[in-house]
């Protein structure tokens, strides 16, 4: 669908010559972020997925600005000469003065132009630029905070580029817009205003720094937003300089946006400015021509996960895999913020309910959260080796059996079943069976943890007593590493893994948007999120009965932790009661919501 974009900035300082209607043909959009061609977190997904729709709209007038890292450029970027003469003159001028600025195409859908700045090449200017930042903005950056120092270098080089570009355009200056993401890119925005550059600035916060830190500290965050002493709280957590960088960018921007209504409320109290626009995050939705196609993908991916389960639980595979449901939680390892604490407690209660009601359903709950490890767990690797050995043994016996059966039928005789398997075959099968014997329970964690004794997830598992015993109906697998199709343990990528699961569980306390439940929805997998996540609020706003579409919204804003845990347990138990047919119907309904999360729809801005 066509997208309408218009900015009215006639009243804003430094942009008096702008008309009410912006001419896209004579406009240049620069999008600035630390995660351009540099995967760190969720902002990478935001920029990557919306690159195509932005390129379609802006064409050759759209450029992304990010940091240069050689290992990323080698695999993601094709370096080329700039087609825009003013851009080329700008790069030549900066490179002649000691900078290293590169131009290319980011090899993703849409192939947008990227301008990558090597901050290491100008690190010698750091002290001088930090002094200038203090003199102009009264923001002091401590020497030990490397991330903040990188942000200063990146910000000054970005402002240098934008100022040089404006100068190189000469008399026929286009309208220049610069969209900055998060505090790491914020210094560049502040400098654009300090230096009075003819640039319209937009700042998007995807999560406030202080909000993330406060929630991680078990603070009753949303009920006390009005009463926080923000300067003191930031100082107590030793992030005051970062908070100042973020707040300065928010206050200096011509247009301030955030990704959800819940984050808009947070930003208004913590950053002292109400966002002008809410811009929810979307995805590139690829529709299937037939409904059964994504159901087939679910079945194929589920089979891959079942193969892993067969190996992981060897010797204790006393449950029916056809009556086993796969739940998962994934994301940054923030134990409380991401809701891993409440999920584990709900699993313990679910285990009790399933055992008391003598249910034949088994739950395997995956925790995909990267943590510090030194290698795979030996027992976990052994499980996959035992499974492969059993498979090879079965295939060898099957081949011999099939050959004898074929030869018997070939001469017109029915086979003598007593002669189809000889003594050697039975010996081989017995040895394979003995190899599956195991004295210990299947491991809860797939890796050797460096901080095993202090790990929050493992300590909670010890407390609730879910050790993958035969008596438990709920099994837990903690995979403290991102999934990869090249892994010797669970060789599937994240998308394939999600497709193979039955339910995504994301009971987050702090989640400004929530890409994980959005990705589940697009792939037709039901999910649980909360009314404190941007995604959950967005779905409540757009759907009359989210539960009917496989979108379960947990109330974590107006209920106590114990009540929220009880509600989550109820969601999980009710899901377990569904028949296979009911789950198929629900997946079909979930997948129909994918259009709501398409950038083609979310590309249209909405005022707060």
């Amino acid at each position: 669908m066509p997208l309408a974009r218009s900015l009215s900035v006639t009243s804003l300082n430094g942009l008096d010559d702008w008309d009410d209607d912006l001419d896209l043909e004579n406009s240049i959009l620069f999008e600035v972020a630390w995660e351009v061609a540099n995967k760190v977190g969720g902002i990478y997904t935001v920029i990557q997925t919306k690159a195509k729709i932005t390129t379609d709209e802006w064409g050759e007038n759209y450029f992304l600005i990010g940091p240069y890292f050689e290992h990323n450029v080698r695999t993601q970027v094709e370096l080329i000469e700039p087609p825009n003469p003013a851009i080329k003159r700008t790069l030549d001028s900066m490179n002649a003065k000691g900078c290293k600025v590169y131009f290319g195409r980011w090899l993703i859908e849409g192939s947008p132009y990227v301008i990558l700045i090597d901050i290491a090449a100008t690190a010698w200017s750091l002290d001088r630029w930090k002094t200038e930042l203090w003199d102009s903005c009264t923001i002091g950056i401590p020497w030990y905070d490397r991330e903040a120092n990188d942000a200063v270098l990146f910000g000054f080089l970005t402002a240098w580029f934008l100022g040089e570009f404006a100068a190189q355009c000469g008399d026929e200056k286009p309208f220049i817009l610069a969209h900055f993401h998060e505090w790491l890119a914020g210094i560049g925005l502040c400098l654009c205003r300090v230096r009075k550059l003819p640039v319209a600035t937009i700042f998007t916060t995807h999560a406030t720094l202080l909000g993330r830190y406060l929630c991680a500290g078990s603070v009753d965050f949303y009920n006390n937003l009005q009463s926080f002493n923000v300067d003191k709280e930031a100082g107590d957590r030793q992030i005051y300089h970062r908070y100042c960088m973020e707040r300065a960018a928010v206050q200096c921007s011509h247009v301030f946006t955030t990704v959800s209504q819940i984050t808009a409320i947070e930003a208004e109290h913590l950053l002292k400015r109400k966002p002008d626009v809410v811009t929810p995050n979307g995805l590139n939705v690829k529709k299937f021509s037939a409904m059964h196609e994504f159901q087939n993908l679910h079945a194929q991916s589920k089979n891959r996960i079942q193969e892993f389960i067969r190996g992981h639980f060897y010797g204790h595979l006393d449950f029916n895999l056809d009556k086993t449901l796969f739940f998962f939680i994934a994301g940054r390892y923030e134990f409380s913020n991401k809701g891993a604490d409440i999920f584990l407690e709900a699993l313990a209660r679910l285990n009790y309910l399933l055992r008391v009601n003598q249910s034949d359903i088994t739950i395997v709950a995956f925790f995909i959260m990267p943590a510090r490890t030194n290698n795979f767990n030996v027992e976990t690797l052994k499980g996959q080796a035992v499974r492969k050995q059993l498979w090879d043994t079965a295939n060898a016996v099957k081949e011999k059996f099939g050959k004898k059966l074929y030869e018997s039928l070939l001469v017109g005789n029915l086979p003598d079943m007593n002669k189809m398997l000889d003594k050697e075959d039975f010996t081989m099968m017995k040895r394979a069976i003995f190899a599956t014997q195991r004295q210990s329970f299947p491991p809860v964690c797939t890796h050797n943890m460096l901080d095993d004794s202090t790990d929050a997830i493992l300590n909670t598992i010890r407390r609730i007593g879910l050790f993958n015993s035969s008596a438990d109906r709920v099994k837990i697998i903690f995979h403290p590493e991102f999934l990869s199709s090249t892994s010797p343990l669970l060789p599937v990528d994240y998308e394939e893994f999600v497709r193979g699961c039955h339910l995504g569980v994301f009971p987050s306390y702090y989640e400004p948007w929530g890409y994980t439940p959005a990705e589940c929805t697009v792939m037709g997998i039901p999910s649980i999120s909360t009314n404190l996540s941007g995604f959950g609020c967005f779905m409540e706003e757009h759907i009359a009965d989210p539960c009917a579409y496989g979108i379960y919204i947990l109330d974590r804003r107006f209920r106590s932790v114990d009540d929220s845990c009880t509600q989550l347990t109820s969601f999980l138990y009710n899901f377990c009661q569904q028949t296979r047919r009911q789950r198929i119907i629900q997946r079909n309904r979930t997948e129909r919501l994918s259009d709501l999360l398409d950038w083609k729809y979310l590309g249209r801005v909405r005022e707060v």
Side-chain angles (χ1 to χ4, degrees):
M1 66 181 69
L3 303 180
R5 297 268 179 154
S6 64
L7 294 174
S8 178
V9 291
T10 52
S11 62
L12 297 173
N13 181 35
L15 300 169
D16 299 330
D17 56 339
W18 284 48
D19 297 321
D20 284 339
D21 295 319
L22 187 65
D23 179 13
L24 288 186
E25 295 296 324
N26 190 35
S27 304
I28 301 284
L29 172 61
F30 294 101
E31 192 157 7
V32 187
W34 186 257
E35 296 194 34
V36 170
N38 176 40
K39 187 169 186 178
V40 178
I43 300 171
Y44 177 90
T45 306
V46 176
I47 295 168
Q48 182 195 41
T49 54
K50 80 180 183 71
K52 184 180 186 304
I53 193 170
T54 314
T55 304
D56 289 345
E57 184 182 353
W58 288 81
E60 298 286 300
N61 294 340
Y62 174 56
F63 302 89
L64 288 156
I65 299 178
Y68 174 88
F69 294 109
E70 189 175 348
H71 63 281
N72 290 331
V73 171
R74 278 202 303 263
T75 57
Q76 299 185 50
V77 178
E78 176 192 9
L79 297 177
I80 59 173
E81 284 293 312
N84 185 306
I87 296 279
K88 188 177 189 317
R89 290 194 299 270
T90 301
L91 264 60
D92 291 343
S93 173
M94 290 183 68
N95 289 334
K97 294 171 183 173
C99 300
K100 287 187 178 179
V101 188
Y102 301 84
F103 188 91
R105 280 194 181 276
W106 192 1
L107 301 179
I108 57 173
E109 195 171 3
S111 301
Y113 291 129
V114 290
I115 296 157
L116 302 176
I117 301 170
D118 188 349
I119 61 171
T122 48
W124 51 272
S125 299
L126 179 61
D127 287 339
R128 176 165 58 86
W129 286 343
K130 283 166 72 172
T131 302
E132 184 180 337
L133 183 64
W134 173 257
D135 292 339
S136 60
C137 303
T138 327
I139 298 175
I141 310 297
W143 61 270
Y144 55 80
D145 190 342
R146 179 172 178 177
E147 198 172 11
N149 287 327
D150 286 348
V152 171
L153 290 168
F154 183 54
F156 270 83
L157 287 165
T158 300
W160 184 351
F161 173 85
L162 293 172
E164 187 70 33
F165 174 74
Q168 293 292 344
C169 287
D171 295 332
E172 298 181 1
K173 278 189 175 65
F175 298 115
I176 305 172
L177 296 90
H179 183 184
F180 297 82
H181 291 269
E182 285 291 328
W183 69 276
L184 282 163
I187 292 296
L189 188 153
C190 297
L191 292 171
C192 285
R193 300 305 305 277
V194 167
R195 297 174 181 178
K196 295 184 168 63
L197 299 181
V199 177
T201 57
I202 306 164
F203 185 76
T204 296
T205 181
H206 298 259
T208 69
L209 270 170
L210 188 54
R212 192 180 293 280
Y213 274 84
L214 285 168
C215 289
S218 301
V219 171
D220 187 4
F221 182 64
Y222 292 98
N223 289 325
N224 292 289
L225 271 174
Q226 299 92 333
S227 57
F228 285 122
N229 182 337
V230 290
D231 294 320
K232 180 182 182 301
E233 296 290 351
D236 289 346
R237 287 158 179 78
Q238 298 184 16
I239 58 163
Y240 185 67
H241 56 288
R242 294 187 179 194
Y243 169 73
C244 290
M245 294 162 73
E246 181 181 39
R247 184 164 165 181
V250 168
Q251 299 297 330
C252 287
S253 61
H254 292 119
V255 177
F256 172 42
T257 81
T258 189
V259 296
S260 63
Q261 293 287 353
I262 194 79
T263 313
I265 297 168
E266 174 189 341
E268 186 175 359
H269 289 96
L270 299 187
L271 299 175
K272 307 304 178 185
R273 179 176 174 183
K274 183 179 180 181
D276 303 297
V277 180
V278 167
T279 54
N281 292 331
L283 289 162
N284 282 336
V285 177
K286 296 177 181 175
K287 301 294 287 183
F288 295 99
S289 56
M291 185 63 74
H292 63 81
E293 288 185 44
F294 84 90
Q295 295 283 7
N296 291 342
L297 286 173
H298 167 73
Q300 293 167 16
S301 300
K302 184 178 71 174
N303 289 338
R304 299 284 298 276
I305 298 173
Q306 286 178 338
E307 281 301 296
F308 167 77
I309 295 297
R310 290 186 177 99
H312 192 81
F313 287 91
Y314 82 91
H316 292 271
L317 200 63
D318 50 5
F319 51 91
N320 186 350
L321 280 176
D322 289 333
K323 292 185 177 181
T324 299
L325 302 179
F326 300 136
F327 297 169
F328 81 99
I329 183 173
R332 187 187 285 113
Y333 195 161
E334 295 178 4
F335 184 65
S336 298
N337 282 359
K338 296 296 181 184
D341 52 352
I342 194 174
F343 184 30
L344 281 166
E345 185 63 40
L347 287 174
R349 298 182 186 187
L350 176 66
N351 184 55
Y352 172 79
L353 288 174
L354 293 174
R355 290 177 64 176
V356 165
N357 292 294
Q358 298 182 334
S359 174
D360 59 353
I361 296 293
T362 301
I363 305 301
V364 178
F366 290 89
F367 286 73
I368 313 296
M369 291 181 151
R372 295 176 65 224
T373 66
N374 59 17
N375 216 326
F376 293 109
N377 186 308
V378 172
E379 188 65 22
T380 308
L381 287 172
K382 181 184 175 184
Q384 299 309 311
V386 168
R387 178 194 62 78
K388 189 175 185 306
Q389 182 187 14
L390 276 173
W391 178 257
D392 292 342
T393 300
N395 273 338
V397 172
K398 181 179 73 173
E399 195 171 320
K400 290 175 68 175
F401 184 96
K403 187 175 181 183
K404 290 179 181 179
L405 177 64
Y406 169 70
E407 289 173 349
S408 178
L409 294 175
L410 203 61
V411 296
N413 296 327
L414 286 173
D416 183 353
M417 299 307 294
N418 293 323
K419 296 180 180 178
M420 294 302 287
L421 296 176
D422 54 30
K423 189 175 181 181
E424 183 184 341
D425 295 330
F426 280 103
T427 301
M428 193 187 328
M429 288 189 290
K430 286 179 181 177
R431 288 179 63 183
I433 291 172
F434 290 160
T436 64
Q437 294 179 358
R438 182 190 239 171
Q439 303 303 317
S440 61
F441 292 145
V444 165
C445 186
T446 58
H447 291 60
N448 295 322
M449 300 288 289
L450 289 179
D451 302 312
D452 183 289
S453 62
T454 58
D455 184 79
I457 289 178
L458 294 180
N459 279 340
T460 305
I461 290 171
R462 294 178 185 117
R463 179 178 61 79
I464 62 180
L466 287 180
F467 298 119
N468 294 340
S469 71
S470 298
D472 289 327
R473 297 267 49 84
V474 173
K475 321 288 185 182
I476 292 179
I477 298 176
F478 178 24
H479 189 281
E481 195 176 73
F482 283 127
L483 296 169
S484 168
S485 57
T486 59
S487 169
L489 197 63
L490 182 56
V492 295
D493 58 25
Y494 179 72
E495 181 177 336
E496 187 178 4
F497 174 78
V498 172
R499 284 194 185 280
C501 289
H502 297 90
L503 181 69
V505 185
F506 314 104
S508 306
Y509 184 74
Y510 185 78
E511 190 71 77
W513 175 244
Y515 256 121
T516 40
E519 288 164 338
C520 285
T521 303
V522 167
M523 289 186 255
I525 303 300
S527 65
I528 298 174
S529 55
T530 75
N531 58 357
L532 290 180
S533 72
F535 173 84
C537 295
F538 180 82
M539 284 303 185
E540 279 188 320
E541 182 185 339
H542 285 77
I543 307 168
D545 183 14
C547 286
Y549 289 87
I551 307 295
Y552 300 92
I553 311 295
L554 184 67
D555 184 0
R556 292 207 64 181
R557 189 169 188 183
F558 304 109
R559 295 191 185 206
S560 67
V561 174
D562 186 63
D563 287 346
S564 295
C565 189
T566 301
Q567 186 187 18
L568 177 57
T569 307
S570 175
F571 284 157
L572 297 176
Y573 185 71
N574 290 338
F575 189 85
C576 294
Q577 303 309 300
Q578 291 183 358
T579 64
R580 182 172 179 272
R581 179 65 184 163
Q582 287 172 326
R583 292 197 302 271
I584 290 173
I585 293 170
Q586 189 177 60
R587 280 198 295 273
N588 286 337
R589 301 195 76 184
T590 303
E591 198 270 343
R592 285 181 208 151
L593 299 177
S594 58
D595 284 339
L596 274 178
L597 301 169
D598 198 330
W599 275 119
K600 292 175 184 175
Y601 169 72
L602 294 176
R604 295 177 297 173
V605 297
R606 300 181 303 153
E607 291 188 6
V608 178

